[in-house]
Structures are given as structure tokens and as C-alpha cells.
Amino acid sequence: MTRLLLIGPPGAGKGTQAERLALACEVPAISTGDIFRYNVTNKTELGLEVKSFIDAGAYVPDTLTNAIVADRLKEADAAGGFLLDGYPRTTDQVAELDRLLSAEGTQLDIVVLITADTDEVVSRLLKRAVEQGRADDTADVIRHRLDVYAEQTAPLIDVYSARGLVVTIDGLGAVEEVTERILAALTERGLCASAPTT
Ligand code: AMP
């Protein structure tokens, strides 16, 4: 049973690693960004509400984001563990996640910080803009997203470090290598036991 949070700047490779780790650890990957994009694409009420924030590279308000995650964590597949990708991103969201988990008598097992320098993440995001056509992958919006991350999300690393939960993984290199680095760190801590170690 693994309750894992992936954190890192936009473009560090969280989404890609989340999918691979979810498979290896047999837990659902829960990405607030994916949930929002799904709703935007399908023009749901939520999608219409969040679209302007996402397109501008701003964070969706905490009340909305917290409600989405509270609902998602109640689903049966998350009872045996989960991988959170892109949530929490603010101190209010940390408080809400703490509340949700402690109500279940659980807590996070590990916070994996994926690092990558700014030049690298900007070039990855510009490449993704061409490949996937995400509206928030333009140069101006990317710059804003990096600023918002530095202001609002980077401070969470200290919060989780103080709890002894953070393991820092170098996000540079081949996708497979980064996955292996993370899996090695997890198995070292007795997490994600089903993962192959080589
Ligand atoms: P991501 O796919 O994680 O890069 O998220 C894409 C966008 O969705 C972000 O730039 C925000 O606009 C929004 N978003 C995703 N997760 C959150 C969150 N935890 N809090 C607020 N906004 C979020």
C-alpha cells in the first residue's frame, strides 16, 4: 500500500513518471491537471469554470481543487493507495489533504521531488506544445507557471521535508532511468513492493 505524492516544476516529467509508477506500484495516478483538462475538453460545468485559470497558467481556486480531490480519493480504487500528481500545490491544499487522510487514519508515505533546471523544463514544455497542443504551453504562460510554482508550490517542499517525507530525484536523463531512480528510492523504503528493482 503506497500513498505517494509527486512534486516538481512544470515540465519536470511528473505526468510521464506518474503513469509509469502507477503501473509499477499498482495504484491509481490521480492528476488534478488531467481531471481539469478532461472537463475542459468535455465542456462540463467544472470545465467552463476552470478553463480561464488553466489557459492563463494560474492555479484553479483551492475550494474547487480540494473538492475534486476529496471526491476522487473516496473512489474505491484509491482505498489501497494512490499516486498524486500535481496536488497539493498550495499550503491550503496541504491542509485539506492532511484532513482528508487523517479522517481515514492514514497519511502520505513519501513525497518524490523531481528536479530539472529551468532551461530544461522550458525546452521540454515548448516541445510538448508542438506535440500535444496544450493551450498553457506557450512561452509566456510557461514563464508564468514557473513563477507560480516557485511562489506557491516550492515552499511545500520544506513542509514535507520537515516531516521527513521528501526524496529528491534528478529528473534529467531518459524516462526509463528516472523511473528506475524513483523505484529504487521507493523499494529502499519498503514502498511499492511489487516494483521490479532492476
Ligand atoms: P498540470 O497538468 O499538473 O501541469 O496542471 C495544469 C493546470 O491545471 C495548472 O497550471 C493549473 O491551472 C491547474 N491545476 C492542476 N492542479 C492544480 C492544483 N493542485 N491547484 C490549482 N490548480 C491546479
Side-chain angles (χ1 to χ4, degrees):
M1 197 177 286
T2 305
R3 295 185 180 85
L4 184 156
L5 160 61
L6 275 186
I7 196 166
K14 292 187 301 296
T16 306
Q17 294 302 328
E19 281 174 27
R20 297 171 60 83
L21 295 168
L23 273 178
C25 303
E26 297 175 333
V27 290
I30 300 175
S31 156
T32 40
D34 281 351
I35 295 172
F36 289 143
R37 274 186 294 278
Y38 174 87
N39 280 276
V40 170
T41 303
N42 290 288
K43 298 193 167 62
T44 66
E45 202 177 316
L46 172 70
L48 296 174
E49 221 168 331
V50 301
K51 185 178 186 325
S52 60
F53 295 103
I54 295 176
D55 287 353
Y59 283 173
V60 172
D62 287 333
T63 42
L64 264 180
T65 310
N66 285 335
I68 298 294
V69 174
D71 279 352
R72 182 62 187 88
L73 287 179
K74 272 187 220 133
E75 285 178 38
D77 65 339
F82 52 76
L83 186 161
L84 284 170
D85 161 19
Y87 178 97
R89 264 166 143 114
T90 66
T91 47
D92 275 5
Q93 293 178 14
V94 171
E96 172 66 2
L97 180 63
D98 285 346
R99 199 187 61 74
L100 289 171
L101 295 182
S102 68
E104 300 295 322
T106 64
Q107 55 191 10
L108 287 175
D109 297 311
I110 191 164
V111 174
V112 175
L113 167 64
I114 307 184
T115 60
D117 68 35
T118 306
D119 287 349
E120 173 70 18
V121 299
V122 170
S123 77
R124 283 187 191 180
L125 291 169
L126 288 171
K127 191 163 158 247
R128 187 173 71 184
V130 177
E131 289 166 359
Q132 298 178 11
R134 263 177 63 163
D136 59 348
D137 277 343
T138 63
D140 279 354
V141 177
I142 289 170
R143 211 168 304 120
H144 185 57
R145 286 163 62 208
L146 288 168
D147 286 347
V148 173
Y149 173 83
E151 264 167 43
Q152 302 211 41
T153 304
L156 306 193
I157 296 162
D158 284 346
V159 172
Y160 285 121
S161 292
R163 300 183 191 178
L165 288 179
V166 176
V167 48
T168 302
I169 301 289
D170 181 358
L172 288 189
V175 166
E176 297 79 11
E177 279 170 30
V178 178
T179 309
E180 286 310 319
R181 281 176 212 148
I182 300 172
L183 288 176
L186 294 178
T187 46
E188 209 173 281
R189 287 160 182 78
L191 299 169
C192 188
S194 61
T197 48
T198 55

